[in-house]
Amino acid sequence: MAVQVQPATDASPSPWSAVARAVALLTVAVSVLLTAFAWPSVRSSVHDVPIAVAGPAPALRQISAALDERLPDAFEITEVADTAAAEQLIRDREAYGAIDVSSGAPQVILATASSPAVAQTLNSIATALNQAQSQGASTPSAVRDLVPLPADDPRGAGLAAGALPLVMGGLLAALLLARLVLGTTRRVIGALAFAVTGGLAVAAILQFWFGSLTGSYWANTGAVALTVAATSLTILGLESLLGYAGLGLGAATMMLIGNPLSGTATAPEMLPGWSGTLGQLLPPGAGGRLLRSTAFFDGHGATHSVIVLATWLTLGVLLCLAGSLRPRRPAADLLTATAQPTAQATV
């Protein structure tokens, strides 16, 4: 028996209600996109940013009062005895900067590589701090950048702009591997291999071409590779387990939540409410912090980020395995699935 399927050539136009639903869906989608990407920036402010204050007790009280008066609740202050202790907190990534009054006149110690936005805020209050210490004198406080950004990229634009390509790279890897490669083992190995090659390429571009990174190239490569692997394997695992719904869920989590809340362009503490903390628990935020640590701080402050990324990577592998063990429905007969009411059968 031969079956001939007649394609439908005279399809009726969609009802206007379908057009209205499509327009409503697109409106919701663009609103969600705008909210996801613009809200963290519009609502960002300095709050609970950890800094150190070094000096004798009376001076510390005076500095703390001046900071609270100028920017209430902006800083989480750790009091230390001297300059060396303050600098150690900065190098360990436990503080974004310091106010040092141990030698008399206040000195602002920055770490622009940790966050240009926070460094700008500290720089802007240097004069006010000097006035508070010297009873109204207008001479600006001394400012010293302990961990500056590279001279080829003094604003940190390369690192900030590189956050989105890392997320997109992981998403594209999951999408292509899911569509072009069969077999869970091959998909997982493909994702890991791409993470390595992508890490080598991205780190080389940022470090040797753009001049946005310093430090060990191999450590920077590892940071990028771990971020891409965690992102791609998580999305790949969700797709393996849930199909297209999993792919959409993974993409939305990384693109609409993880990337805007990563704090890579500013600092997690500057994001509104709890969003900065949430962002550091997702691969984009953890990856951005890890790359700053390897590039500018000799790996200090990287432990939390490594744990987060390794957890997402492991979860992705487990999801891939769970998806491979899920019972598959037998393939439906294509002729039956695609036959239209106008199909004609001949014997």
Side-chain angles (χ1 to χ4, degrees):
M1 184 189 334
V3 177
Q4 296 179 346
V5 179
Q6 172 122 3
T9 56
D10 298 326
S12 300
S14 299
W16 286 108
S17 60
V19 177
R21 287 195 298 271
V23 171
L25 181 61
L26 290 170
T27 303
V28 171
V30 74
S31 300
V32 170
L33 286 172
L34 176 62
T35 302
F37 284 93
W39 175 70
S41 298
V42 172
R43 293 289 183 261
S44 65
S45 62
V46 180
H47 57 87
D48 297 327
V49 173
I51 65 171
V53 177
L60 294 180
R61 288 193 295 269
Q62 189 176 4
I63 291 295
S64 298
L67 289 174
D68 287 338
E69 181 180 356
R70 182 175 178 83
L71 292 172
D73 301 322
F75 300 106
E76 182 179 297
I77 298 174
T78 299
E79 297 181 355
V80 294
D82 52 29
T83 304
E87 291 182 352
Q88 191 60 48
L89 287 177
I90 294 172
R91 295 188 189 279
D92 289 341
R93 301 209 69 189
E94 295 181 18
Y96 283 89
I99 310 298
D100 181 16
V101 292
S102 58
S103 61
Q107 176 184 212
V108 179
I109 305 175
L110 308 178
T112 309
S114 185
S115 171
V118 174
Q120 184 178 7
T121 300
L122 289 173
N123 198 20
S124 70
I125 65 174
T127 301
L129 290 176
N130 179 78
Q131 292 174 348
Q133 279 294 105
S134 55
Q135 299 178 350
S138 59
T139 302
S141 299
V143 178
R144 178 164 59 93
D145 199 345
L146 183 65
V147 190
L149 285 164
D152 290 338
D153 188 7
R155 295 181 295 108
L159 182 58
L164 182 58
L166 290 184
V167 179
M168 289 295 297
L171 175 58
L172 289 174
L175 178 61
L176 291 178
L177 288 169
R179 300 280 72 83
L180 301 179
V181 177
L182 296 177
T184 300
T185 301
R186 287 169 172 78
R187 288 180 176 180
V188 171
I189 292 177
L192 294 175
F194 167 69
V196 173
T197 58
L200 290 167
V202 170
I205 292 171
L206 288 175
Q207 188 157 352
F208 302 129
W209 184 6
F210 295 165
S212 299
L213 303 179
T214 59
S216 168
Y217 166 68
W218 299 109
N220 295 335
T221 296
V224 175
L226 186 56
T227 304
V228 173
T231 303
S232 61
L233 283 171
T234 299
I235 299 175
L236 194 63
L238 289 171
E239 191 279 338
S240 177
L241 190 63
L242 303 175
Y244 284 113
L247 187 64
L249 176 62
T253 300
M254 300 302 173
M255 289 289 297
L256 300 183
I257 302 177
N259 189 69
L261 302 186
S262 67
T264 303
T266 54
E269 292 82 1
M270 295 186 69
L271 297 177
W274 45 262
S275 58
T277 301
L278 174 60
Q280 293 303 298
L281 296 176
L282 297 173
R289 180 174 177 83
L290 177 59
L291 188 55
R292 281 194 189 277
S293 294
T294 58
F296 307 118
F297 295 89
D298 296 325
H300 293 291
T303 302
H304 177 269
S305 299
V306 171
I307 292 174
V308 169
L309 293 172
T311 300
W312 281 100
L313 190 155
T314 303
L315 176 63
V317 172
L318 293 177
L319 289 174
C320 288
L321 293 176
S324 68
L325 297 176
R326 184 167 59 94
R328 304 286 181 178
R329 292 172 52 190
D333 185 88
L334 292 179
L335 293 177
T336 303
T338 59
Q340 302 293 329
T342 56
Q344 297 178 344
T346 59
V347 181

